[in-house]
Amino acid sequence: MPLDDHDDAFERRLSAALEDATRACPPHSPDLVDRATARGHRLRRVRAFQVGAGCAALTLVALGGTLLGTGGSGGAAAPQDLSPAASGAARPPATTISGEEMIATLKGLLPKDGTVSDASGTGSTGTGKRVPTAKLTYTDARGSSSLDIAVGRLGPGDRPGGCLPVQVRPYDRCEAHKLPDGSTLYTTRSFTHPNSDTGQRRWYAELVTADGADLVVQEFGGGDEKASDGTADPAFSLGQLSTIVQSPAWRKAIDAVPAPATGAPTTPQRQADSGKRMAEVLTSLLPSGGRITDLHTDTGLVQLVHDDGHGKSMIEADVQSDMTDALAGHMSCPSDADDADCRSRTLPDGTQVKVTRQGSEKGGSAVVWTADTLRPDGRRVLVREINSYAESGPVTRPEPPLSLERLQAMALERKWLG
């Protein structure tokens, strides 16, 4: 299947559209992490770029980590000719590149002792409506791996995928390194199914150059995505992927993706301000003495991992507006629900409150406790916690750390309303 046939390739540039759609539909409480995942611009099949300017990704805290050394066999090579010659230099006029050229470029960067099959590619017309990609299967004495690359450019306010939050990808092993020319290289060992630490392995490298080019190369061990249940390592090491993605051979492909319109975006700054305020509110409501890690925010959403010394727990808060119609019928418990698992009531001021505890819907054994509140003016505040650092991660404590009563008090806190 061609790369551009995969719908989930567009998830990393659909933040604004997804948020609008989300606010128009009643979100089911356990799906908040999924919304964060979508709004967090997940790396999936391949990246699609230029869907819209100003889409902001997750604000990630403490990416951390050191990466591969430069030089040497299979190591990360220093990028050449991928950054502008001088700061502020104008980019040359956009050219075009064909899918056949993309395939040839990728083939030319691979070891000659293997064979290539099932190659396909897409070119660019120079208008930004389609990005250059290449995909193929590489086979050598160790087995087969599916390999693909997409070349794009970040628009104003866009952020790279980078290292995705542990709450979304609990089994990823991601490292980031700032290169001397101002580029940033991210490498990740992952799995095809994000909720599992077994099965087909998926490794990828992302390079973001100083002038905004964004290249992602990824591989799937054993063949095409989801085509293998094996656990074999992919054919190329992260060092080799890093060398491929940094090759100056991609210069023509980069030039074939025109620079986005310039200008100071306002939405990302508003998002950053909102995220900072929400993080301050959530941390102020947590018990003192705990350790907070893996904090990240998006518009109206804050998530973190809290460790009180008895195990890690993911805690998050979601704030939305104009939710009265969308949540009609959602704020009451089913008639057959046990009071221990679901309780709902309406406060004297008209605020509807529902607290629940239920098992994870991610296939794991974690439990999810939630306090959901809807005020008469349509403002919704939902606070939830999990007895793991991720809903699909391993259980780290018998129960979440905060009582349902405390969750309810946190959700009713007026600090969320600004």
Side-chain angles (χ1 to χ4, degrees), residues 170-214:
Y171 301 108
D172 280 12
R173 293 168 56 194
C174 180
E175 296 177 322
H177 183 62
K178 194 76 172 178
L179 303 178
D181 70 340
S183 301
T184 303
L185 178 66
Y186 304 91
T187 61
T188 303
R189 297 176 188 267
S190 186
F191 297 87
T192 299
H193 297 284
N195 297 339
S196 173
D197 61 350
T198 60
Q200 186 183 36
R201 299 185 180 186
R202 170 177 174 256
W203 294 356
Y204 52 92
E206 177 179 14
L207 178 72
V208 182
T209 68
D211 61 342
D214 197 353

Side-chain angles (χ1 to χ4, degrees), residues 92-180:
T95 183
T96 60
I97 190 170
S98 68
E100 290 73 19
E101 289 176 288
M102 288 292 296
I103 295 171
T105 300
L106 182 56
K107 282 184 178 180
L109 297 173
L110 304 181
K112 306 305 180 186
D113 56 349
T115 60
V116 171
S117 60
D118 300 322
S120 62
T122 60
S124 173
T125 61
T127 64
K129 293 183 179 179
R130 187 171 66 176
V131 301
T133 66
K135 177 178 182 286
L136 53 80
T137 298
Y138 180 85
T139 304
D140 62 12
R142 296 171 296 172
S144 298
S145 285
S146 175
L147 186 72
D148 59 60
I149 187 166
V151 181
R153 185 168 291 279
L154 299 177
D158 288 349
R159 294 180 183 271
C163 294
L164 301 181
V166 67
Q167 295 94 331
V168 174
R169 304 283 306 199
Y171 301 108
D172 280 12
R173 293 168 56 194
C174 180
E175 296 177 322
H177 183 62
K178 194 76 172 178
L179 303 178

Side-chain angles (χ1 to χ4, degrees), residues 26-82:
H28 185 50
S29 300
D31 291 338
L32 287 176
V33 175
D34 290 335
R35 290 200 301 113
T37 303
R39 292 191 300 186
H41 295 180
R42 284 178 295 157
L43 275 170
R44 288 289 298 149
R45 211 30 212 102
V46 294
R47 301 190 55 200
F49 304 91
Q50 301 300 103
V51 174
C55 300
L58 295 174
T59 301
L60 303 182
V61 175
L63 290 177
T66 56
L67 196 59
L68 314 159
T70 58
S73 175
Q80 303 173 34
D81 302 327
L82 289 182

